[in-house]
Amino acid sequence: MSHWVGPRVLAALVLALCLGLTYGAWRNAHDASEQQVQADFDFRVRELVGNIVVRMQTYIQVLHGVQGLYASSQDVTRSEFHAYLAVQQVDRHFPGIHGVGYLPLLPGAGLARHEASVRAEGYPGYAVRPPGQRAWHAPITYLEPLSESNLLALGYDIWSEPVRRAALEQARDTGQAAMTGKIQLVQDGGSAQAHGFLIVLPVYDNGLPRASVAQRRAALRAWVFAPFRMVDLMAGVGGEGARQLDLEIYDGVKQAEAALMYDSLPDMQAAAGSDSMVSQQAVSVAGHAWTLRVRAMPGFDGELLARPRLVAWTGLLASIVLALAAWRPGCWRRAAPAPRRRWRVRAS
């Protein structure tokens, strides 16, 4: 059996050396792939967050255009408001926005005259709601496009609801766009499954100063606003790359279930998300904070993650082949039979 020792030892040494080299190559490929995957994940998160911010800034500019319409006129009629937004085609060119509206600031004493005026314009069933006498009202008076769902919102007094009123007051005092917290849109009938928000801009009396908070409060006469439904707003915002990401958007800075406004994946699918590739981003839109949580889903950059496995399998097969090559020649040399000796008969 001693003649087997040499080839076996040589083959074992070759196999050990090759496996060691294979492990080193696999380790390098694994580390490089992980770094590349992390870099790709970070890039996609930045791209997704950037797309959301840019989209919201674009919608705010749409409202600034409507604000400018009021700044150029002492009175904008319903037909003028409709004509301006019909040209803009907001519902076609700006996905996610569900209309643009107008909210006059009314004292309680002027409510009856306001309702009568709107009914005379062709809306006989118009009434400000919820009913009741309040010091101030901000009812939805214009809302374009006047779709079936938007008709449901006409007359709703935004000033009567605390979350919406907080945004109205912020816009009034700052002169800038303001966004509400998480709400259910009136157009959705208060459905708990349809989360949304409003963005509002103040409309001031053109002839009054508004350098200070007190002056802006005195000059305020209305707001323009836009309602958004989160599911529609986020449709396609991340492009093709967002399909392998789970995006959650929370109202405010805390990740609480009650603050969840949007989840791109159902609970069962989201449970399979990565625990290591997770990013939390703080975003401010119109003076309001959102918290974005992004996780990579299974299959994220699968091609990059497959490279280390390819290196490992290739190295393992090469190691086996080289070990066999080192063992087989020595084995055959030892096992080969000795050549036969030929005897010649000499003739006498």
Side-chain angles (χ1 to χ4, degrees), residues 3-4 34 69 78 110 135 145 175 193-194 201 244 273 293 320 325 329:
H3 63 274
W4 288 90
E34 280 196 338
L69 177 67
R78 186 180 298 275
Q193 301 300 318
L201 269 174
Q244 294 176 322
R293 185 171 183 262
I320 294 174

Side-chain angles (χ1 to χ4, degrees), residues 269-334:
Q269 295 183 23
S274 172
D275 292 328
S276 58
M277 281 191 291
V278 182
S279 179
Q280 181 174 312
Q281 303 286 325
V283 174
S284 179
V285 179
H288 191 83
W290 279 353
T291 299
L292 278 59
R293 185 171 183 262
V294 187
R295 289 193 302 165
M297 297 302 294
F300 180 84
D301 280 345
E303 294 182 1
L304 288 174
L305 295 176
R307 291 178 185 177
R309 292 194 293 270
L310 179 61
V311 170
W313 280 109
T314 303
L316 178 60
L317 292 175
S319 300
I320 294 174
V321 170
L322 291 174
L324 286 174
W327 173 63
R328 296 293 289 180
C331 180
W332 281 110
R333 284 197 301 270
R334 295 290 185 180

Side-chain angles (χ1 to χ4, degrees), residues 129-130 134 136-138 156-162 165 168:
R129 63 186 195 282
R134 294 179 287 276
W136 295 98
H137 301 272
Y156 180 75
D157 185 3
I158 286 184
W159 190 266
S160 68
E161 197 275 313
R165 184 171 67 247
L168 295 181

Side-chain angles (χ1 to χ4, degrees), residues 48-49 51-57 59 179-183 195-199 228-231 233-234 237 247-255 259-262 280-293:
L48 178 61
V49 173
N51 288 345
I52 293 172
V53 172
V54 169
R55 177 170 287 192
M56 295 312 304
Q57 289 174 343
Y59 293 159
M179 186 170 73
T180 69
K182 173 184 175 182
I183 60 172
H195 306 306
F197 61 94
L198 306 179
I199 292 182
F228 297 85
R229 189 181 294 115
M230 287 300 297
V231 173
L233 174 68
M234 300 307 299
V237 73
L247 170 64
E248 297 173 353
I249 300 179
Y250 295 87
D251 183 32
V253 297
K254 295 183 179 180
Q255 296 182 33
L260 181 63
M261 299 181 68
Y262 175 77
Q280 181 174 312
Q281 303 286 325
V283 174
S284 179
V285 179
H288 191 83
W290 279 353
T291 299
L292 278 59
R293 185 171 183 262

Side-chain angles (χ1 to χ4, degrees), residues 19 67 71 108 118 126 131 135 143 169 188 203 205 210 227 252 262 290 307 322 331:
L19 289 178
Q67 185 188 47
V118 175
Y126 178 85
L143 187 55
E169 292 174 339
D188 295 325
V203 174
D205 190 308
R210 46 182 183 271
Y262 175 77
W290 279 353
R307 291 178 185 177
L322 291 174
C331 180

